[in-house]
């Protein structure tokens, strides 16, 4: 592991690792409700040390992680496939499409990467309880990693979370508190809970290591492409932490001299939950009062990491766009039929985005990585809105259509 400090992404003040835990004490706590978090911290790795570690063990992602390997949970995450999808490309008119398939994480979503690192931190701190608010996947990931490390997971989720995600949490033995309200209500309540009753809070962006955990997906893409970045990465966006994590991974590679050309980031939101898209396109933040989309993992009224997400999109020369639920479901089917990959609606949103993008914004011949963030089996109700199960027939050959 490379030594690091935390730096406030707003005021730039830096802190020793154990001098802060969540947000910058100057900028962060006490921000007005209904606004994105202020004072989100980023881990700044010592680049000389990082280079040295990489020279000693090329391709070893552990050098990039700010928690020592001795604390890492015995719950392997990452190393998911990066696959060319020419059939999907042909259907959509793109020549070089790839899918980074994080549906194949152990709990079925990219959230395993963040939960892994925050639980590693809990182990380092000797903290037996980890608390999170979640739309569903962060919680099922946390429940699984806590189960593997004999830790207690306390989870606040909207009661409308897909049943399979709730079942995952319960099967892994988490304490689940369904909220009669939105994800944003769960976020606020989980912070109150940690303040009053303790535990390490894993809320996305609030704990800086969520961004660090998620950045590993970018590092893997870089190594899987043989030491370079693609032209663009398409990312589904709720709170904006995956997006910021992808950017952090690639910029860490630049800082240590391994990469000189960064990819453009394309941020995809659901039409009914598009606070970050609006922030990027108008410069004004306005929350979404009642997020409304079947893509539950990106249904967020007040995206906690909106500021950093917007900065990442702009720095990358990328852009954001929105897709409808109808387009998401259609894209889910197209992805499944052309690649064999079954993505949950939020993840299928990246496929839905492609037909929406004009050629002058995204060259049809450029190399584009679609980040598939979650497995379709987590929510079978969503595609059933457009499918009907065939009627059963008697078990005789005559009856087979
Ligand atoms: C959490 C999640 C997202 C969005 O990630 P953010 O960091 O909240 O922007 C997208 N897809 C899936 C499947 C997720 O679980
Ligand atoms: Zn600050």
């Amino acid at each position: 592991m490379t030594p690091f400090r935390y730096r406030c992404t707003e005021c730039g003040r830096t802190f020793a690792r154990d001098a802060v835990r969540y947000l910058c004490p100057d900028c962060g706590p006490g921000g007005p409700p209904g606004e994105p978090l202020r004072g989100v911290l980023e881990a700044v790795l010592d680049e000389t040390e990082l280079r040295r570690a990489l020279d000693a063990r090329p391709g070893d992602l552990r050098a990039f992680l700010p928690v020592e390997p001795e604390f890492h949970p015995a719950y392997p995450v990452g190393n998911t496939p990066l696959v060319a999808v020419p059939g999907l490309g042909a259907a959509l008119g793109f020549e070089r499409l790839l899918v980074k398939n994080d549906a194949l994480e152990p709990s079925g979503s990219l959230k395993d990467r963040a939960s892994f690192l925050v639980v590693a931190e809990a182990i380092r701190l000797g903290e037996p309880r980890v608390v999170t608010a979640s739309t569903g996947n962060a919680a099922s990931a946390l429940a699984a990693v806590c189960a593997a490390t004999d830790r207690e997971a306390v989870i606040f989720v909207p009661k409308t979370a897909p049943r399979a995600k709730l079942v995952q949490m319960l099967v892994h033995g988490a304490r689940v508190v369904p909220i009669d309200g939105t994800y944003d209500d769960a976020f606020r309540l989980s912070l109150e809970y940690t303040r009053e009753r303790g535990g390490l809070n894993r809320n996305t962006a609030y704990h800086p290591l969520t961004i660090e955990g998620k950045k590993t997906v970018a590092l893997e893409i870089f190594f899987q492409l043989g030491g370079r970045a693609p032209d663009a990465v398409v990312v589904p966006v709720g709170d904006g932490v995956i997006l910021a994590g992808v950017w952090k991974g690639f910029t860490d590679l630049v800082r240590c001299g391994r990469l000189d050309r960064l990819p453009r980031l394309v941020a995809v939101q659901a039409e009914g939950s598009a606070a970050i898209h609006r922030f990027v396109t108008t410069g004004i933040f306005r929350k979404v009062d009642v997020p409304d989309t079947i893509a539950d993992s990106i249904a967020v009224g007040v995206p906690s990491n909106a500021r950093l997400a917007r900065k990442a999109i702009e720095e990358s020369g990328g852009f954001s766009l929105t897709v409808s639920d109808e387009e998401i479901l259609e894209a889910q089917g197209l992805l499944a039929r052309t690649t064999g990959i079954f993505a949950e609606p939020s993840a299928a949103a990246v496929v839905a985005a492609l037909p929406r993008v004009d050629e002058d914004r995204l060259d049809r011949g450029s190399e584009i990585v679609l980040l598939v963030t979650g497995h379709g089996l987590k929510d079978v109700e969503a595609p059933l809105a457009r499918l009907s199960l065939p009627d059963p027939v008697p078990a005789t050959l005559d009856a087979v259509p």
Side-chain angles (χ1 to χ4, degrees):
M1 188 204 91
T2 307
F4 75 101
R5 291 176 70 76
Y6 284 119
R7 180 170 62 202
C8 173
T9 55
E10 293 205 42
C11 73
R13 190 175 158 200
T14 70
F15 304 87
R17 169 190 205 171
D18 283 311
V20 279
R21 182 156 294 176
Y22 302 117
L23 304 173
C24 169
D26 296 337
C27 306
E35 291 214 0
L37 295 175
R38 305 216 71 126
V40 172
L41 298 175
E42 65 178 346
V44 183
L45 311 186
D46 184 299
E47 58 211 48
T48 313
E49 291 293 332
L50 186 51
R51 246 189 312 268
R52 192 172 303 154
L54 280 180
D55 287 340
R57 279 191 292 183
D60 189 351
L61 299 191
R62 284 173 304 179
F64 288 88
L65 291 178
V67 181
E68 293 80 350
E70 67 200 272
F71 303 114
H72 289 187
Y75 179 92
V77 302
N79 289 313
T80 56
L82 178 71
V83 285
V85 286
L88 180 65
L92 296 173
F94 286 82
E95 288 159 31
R96 287 194 293 156
L97 284 189
L98 297 148
V99 165
K100 176 67 171 166
N101 189 359
D102 253 45
L104 297 182
E105 293 285 357
S107 84
S109 87
L110 188 145
K111 298 294 196 294
D112 277 339
R113 297 177 185 271
S115 291
F116 173 88
L117 198 61
V118 175
V119 172
E121 178 75 343
I123 293 170
R124 185 181 76 86
L125 297 169
E127 175 59 69
R129 179 193 295 169
V130 188
V131 180
T132 201
S134 170
T135 57
N137 283 338
S140 38
L142 181 65
V145 186
C146 281
T149 56
D150 196 23
R151 242 137 270 267
E152 184 190 18
V154 180
I155 281 161
F156 296 85
V157 275
K159 66 176 185 198
T160 52
R163 285 164 67 83
K165 299 182 185 184
L166 293 166
V167 169
Q168 278 187 293
M169 299 165 209
L170 293 168
V171 165
H172 290 305
R175 190 134 61 85
V176 180
V177 186
I179 301 297
D180 195 3
T182 63
Y183 165 64
D184 302 276
D185 298 322
F187 199 96
R188 182 185 40 75
L189 184 60
S190 77
L191 295 184
E192 277 171 35
Y193 178 94
T194 337
R195 225 168 12 244
E196 300 292 323
R197 305 205 194 156
L200 183 67
N201 192 294
R202 178 231 177 268
N203 279 13
T204 194
Y206 184 73
H207 198 301
L209 295 185
T210 51
I211 301 176
E212 289 296 304
K214 288 177 172 182
K215 84 180 178 185
T216 57
V217 75
L219 302 172
E220 287 176 19
I221 291 169
F222 168 84
F223 287 115
Q224 286 169 316
L225 288 175
R228 57 183 179 78
D231 295 314
V233 185
V234 189
V235 184
V237 174
D239 276 303
V241 174
I242 296 179
L243 187 87
V246 167
W247 192 237
K248 179 62 162 49
F250 286 117
T251 51
D252 272 0
L253 287 160
V254 169
R255 285 184 62 248
C256 70
R258 288 296 184 276
L259 179 65
D260 48 23
R261 204 181 53 91
L262 286 157
R264 294 169 72 212
L265 298 181
V266 178
V268 186
Q269 292 211 285
E271 264 172 20
S273 179
I276 288 181
H277 171 69
R278 228 161 38 197
F279 191 32
V280 169
T281 48
T282 66
I284 297 160
F285 181 82
R286 200 152 47 81
K287 69 172 175 163
V288 174
D289 287 327
V290 186
D292 179 18
T293 171
I294 49 154
D296 59 288
S297 301
I298 52 175
V300 183
V302 185
S304 58
N305 206 35
R307 295 172 211 283
L308 216 49
R310 175 173 173 232
K311 187 160 156 258
I313 295 164
E314 287 176 352
E315 279 179 14
S316 81
F319 56 93
S320 72
L321 73 158
T322 63
V323 291
S324 69
D325 282 2
E326 195 58 36
E327 289 168 313
I328 287 173
L329 287 176
E330 198 170 315
Q332 182 184 47
L334 179 68
L335 175 70
R337 290 190 307 272
T338 55
T339 68
I341 295 168
F342 185 19
E344 68 167 90
S346 302
V350 297
V351 177
L354 292 178
R356 281 258 183 145
V357 183
D358 295 336
E359 228 161 305
D360 54 347
R361 287 187 110 182
L362 202 56
D363 190 278
R364 270 30 187 181
S366 60
E367 186 175 51
I368 301 166
V369 172
L370 306 175
L371 200 53
V372 168
T373 45
H375 205 290
L377 289 175
K378 282 173 164 277
D379 180 8
V380 295
E381 298 305 321
L384 274 174
R386 288 165 48 109
L387 297 173
S388 48
L389 298 174
D391 289 330
V393 298
T396 63
L397 193 53
D398 282 350
V400 177

